[in-house]
Amino acid sequence: MYDSLLGGRDNYPADRAACSALLEKVPSMRELALNNRQFLRRVVHTLAKDFGVRQFIDHGSGLPTQDNVHEIAQRVDDRSRVVYIDNDPIVRNIGGAILERNDRTAVIQADMRHTENIFTHPSVTALIDMKEPVAALFVSVLHCLPDSADPGALIADVASRLPDGSFMVVCQLVSDSPAIRDFVTGFMDEQTQGNWGRVREKSDVAAYCAPLDLVEPGLVEVSRWRPGADDVPPQLTFEWEEYGGVGQVRR
């Protein structure tokens, strides 16, 4: 669905039909997806250029699409290393084939909740040096986790494993409207056959990021995180939004 909204080619009729149904209820969905992708680009570029980060772990990365994390980071420094994490075997197969010529990237099939398995995976230990800062990305994926998975505990667990001075990038779908939260949560739960979490509130994201030292401008609707002149127009309506930011791990 995300790839379809971005105008990509790696999607199916069912994805496009689901997007059409959601757009009827939440018409800002396409702009939200585009702004979310722009946020990812700005975050990775900023961390690589301004903070010198050369290692990235992208949790719940999805299929490769336009301007991936390794492409953004390696434009700043071609020595940058990226590990993509996704539980979908299609992502592992297609992503692995696309990236096989880039020896500073890897795609591993894993559940992002299984932190120990991820951090001990041979591809992670081969590419990621835990003596140097790492950026762990959770961009538009925490709403895929139910409350029973405790997204806040997951963020804390990953942060506890990263070297001092590392970064966490966190954003997820939120809405001030209980009706929108209930509709989108129910719709996506049905579409994914129960493999979804929920649209949450800004206070939930703030609680997840409480242990982190937030980088300016803090937690915001993502199009307002250090916007650039070439960004796509922001949402015209805000029945829901991607909300989050960047925090640094300090011991």
Side-chain angles (χ1 to χ4, degrees):
M1 291 174 65
Y2 189 49
D3 184 75
S4 173
L5 291 167
L6 294 175
R9 296 178 296 177
D10 294 310
N11 54 77
Y12 298 92
D15 302 319
R16 297 188 286 275
C19 287
S20 295
L22 270 178
L23 281 164
E24 291 182 6
K25 187 72 173 182
V26 280
S28 63
M29 183 177 178
R30 193 177 307 280
E31 290 79 12
L32 181 147
L34 290 167
N35 276 296
N36 181 66
R37 196 68 188 180
Q38 290 279 19
F39 169 69
L40 177 67
R41 292 183 181 121
R42 293 196 306 275
V43 161
V44 173
H45 179 79
T46 298
L47 291 176
K49 184 176 184 293
D50 297 346
F51 292 92
V53 177
R54 299 293 180 264
Q55 308 183 108
F56 297 82
I57 303 176
D58 188 2
H59 294 79
S61 59
L63 284 167
T65 185
Q66 293 82 23
D67 222 6
N68 299 287
V69 171
H70 71 282
E71 294 168 317
I72 303 163
Q74 290 175 358
R75 283 200 293 269
V76 176
D77 188 330
D78 62 9
R79 296 169 297 177
S80 297
R81 303 179 300 282
V82 179
V83 178
Y84 296 98
I85 311 294
D86 203 282
N87 65 351
D88 189 338
I90 296 175
V91 171
R92 172 66 187 88
N93 293 337
I94 295 177
I98 291 173
L99 301 177
E100 65 182 359
R101 295 181 182 178
N102 192 317
D103 61 4
R104 293 189 174 93
T105 65
V107 182
I108 65 175
Q109 183 183 344
D111 189 320
M112 64 181 169
R113 295 170 291 185
H114 299 164
T115 309
E116 178 67 21
N117 293 346
I118 291 169
F119 276 73
T120 58
H121 192 282
S123 293
V124 174
T125 58
L127 285 176
I128 304 299
D129 181 358
M130 287 298 170
K131 297 187 292 294
E132 299 293 333
V134 179
L137 311 180
F138 289 86
V139 176
S140 198
V141 294
L142 293 179
H143 46 250
C144 299
L145 300 180
D147 289 342
S148 59
D150 200 345
L154 172 61
I155 295 301
D157 186 15
V158 172
S160 72
R161 297 169 187 265
L162 297 178
D164 183 49
S166 293
F167 294 87
M168 303 281 294
V169 182
V170 177
C171 70
Q172 88 137 70
L173 291 169
V174 303
S175 178
D176 293 331
S177 165
I180 292 294
R181 292 198 300 269
D182 290 346
F183 169 78
V184 176
T185 296
F187 181 90
M188 289 303 300
D189 189 64
E190 180 181 356
Q191 292 293 315
T192 61
Q193 299 178 357
N195 293 301
W196 217 69
R198 66 182 177 93
V199 178
R200 294 187 170 91
E201 299 177 68
K202 293 176 182 178
S203 59
D204 294 310
V205 181
Y208 301 159
C209 296
L212 304 172
D213 185 4
L214 291 175
V215 173
E216 289 294 332
L219 298 178
V220 292
E221 186 272 315
V222 295
S223 71
R224 297 170 182 163
W225 196 92
R226 304 192 181 194
D230 297 329
D231 288 349
V232 296
Q235 291 176 228
L236 296 178
T237 61
F238 283 88
E239 63 272 11
W240 65 345
E241 62 190 78
E242 283 279 358
Y243 181 79
V246 180
Q248 191 163 28
V249 176
R250 291 298 190 189
R251 304 283 182 245

